Every structure is written in C-alpha cells, then in structure tokens.
Amino acid sequence: MKTTPEHDQRIAKMIFGSVYPHYIKKVESKGRTIEELHQVIEWLTGFDNKKLQELIDEKVTFETFFERAALNPNAHLITGVICGYRIEEIETPLTKQARYLDKLIDELAKGKKMEKILRQ
C-alpha cells in the first residue's frame, strides 16, 4: 500500500511530544514500563532519556525528531503491517521511520520479548 503525499506530510508535521503520552498509555495499559518504552526508542533512534525529554520540551516534529536520530543499522529488520501499511513497502523514508517506531511500540505492548523487539 502506497502512502499519499498528504499522509506523509501529516506525519512529518506531527509534534512528537503530542504522541508520546499515547505511547506511554499504550505500553503501560498492557503491563509494560516507561523504561522499556525508552529502551525501544533509544535502540531505534539513539536518544537517551535526557535527549528524549529535550526533544519533547522543544516540541519537535517527527520530521525533526528523525532528522536528529541516529537510526539503528538493524532498523531495516522491522517488517510487517502497522496502521494498514506494510512497512517494507513504504517509500517515503520519514514515514517508514515513524512506522518503525509504531511497530516497535506495538510489539512491546503485545508482550513480545525485548530481544525480539530489538532484533537481537
């Protein structure tokens, strides 16, 4: 399934800090912790807790968030369907990166083992 330019722009301009509380709620409601969420985010982006909080305070968009990220070299191993899109078929890099994050958080909430989530 191909994303539309409007869809890609909507993701690019979304404020990361406005979505972050939803990530917390999703993982905590399934018995996972904020620490595990941060571990997943750090694995994908390289952002530690301090940097993550700075980005939230700065109100960065997903575009800026991923521009500043040092994407994990194994991120390409994240595959499957999330939000109706097959990740490996998404052509827009930013949209693909945002869906990587969505997929990791979804796997965390579904109770997958951390070694599998972090592609180890």
Side-chain angles (χ1 to χ4, degrees):
M1 181 181 266
K2 205 169 181 166
T3 61
T4 64
E6 296 80 17
H7 176 262
D8 295 336
Q9 256 324 299
R10 194 169 57 247
I11 288 175
K13 299 305 173 202
M14 231 184 312
I15 304 296
F16 175 79
S18 69
V19 179
Y20 177 73
H22 299 287
Y23 294 155
I24 293 172
K25 185 178 179 182
K26 182 174 188 168
V27 300
E28 285 186 333
S29 72
K30 299 294 184 172
R32 301 306 284 258
T33 66
I34 292 176
E35 290 75 24
E36 289 173 310
L37 172 64
H38 287 182
Q39 185 180 356
V40 165
I41 293 172
E42 186 169 357
W43 177 86
L44 180 64
T45 64
F47 298 141
D48 61 14
N49 292 351
K50 182 176 181 245
K51 184 63 179 174
L52 190 61
Q53 190 58 54
E54 287 172 12
L55 293 167
I56 291 167
D57 293 344
E58 195 181 326
K59 297 182 175 22
V60 299
T61 61
F62 271 89
E63 185 172 32
T64 301
F65 182 84
F66 282 107
E67 280 173 357
R68 296 183 187 174
L71 209 63
N72 189 296
N74 287 333
H76 70 279
L77 299 174
I78 303 167
T79 59
V81 176
I82 189 78
C83 301
Y85 295 94
R86 179 153 290 286
I87 294 172
E88 51 273 35
E89 293 175 3
I90 297 173
E91 294 174 4
T92 308
L94 174 62
T95 302
K96 182 178 270 196
Q97 292 164 355
R99 293 306 180 204
Y100 283 160
L101 181 57
D102 291 340
K103 183 69 172 176
L104 294 176
I105 292 167
D106 195 49
E107 290 175 352
L108 183 63
K110 287 183 176 175
K112 261 193 166 184
K113 292 186 187 304
M114 195 58 81
E115 305 82 54
K116 288 196 181 271
I117 296 170
L118 304 182
R119 306 321 196 242
Q120 295 172 340

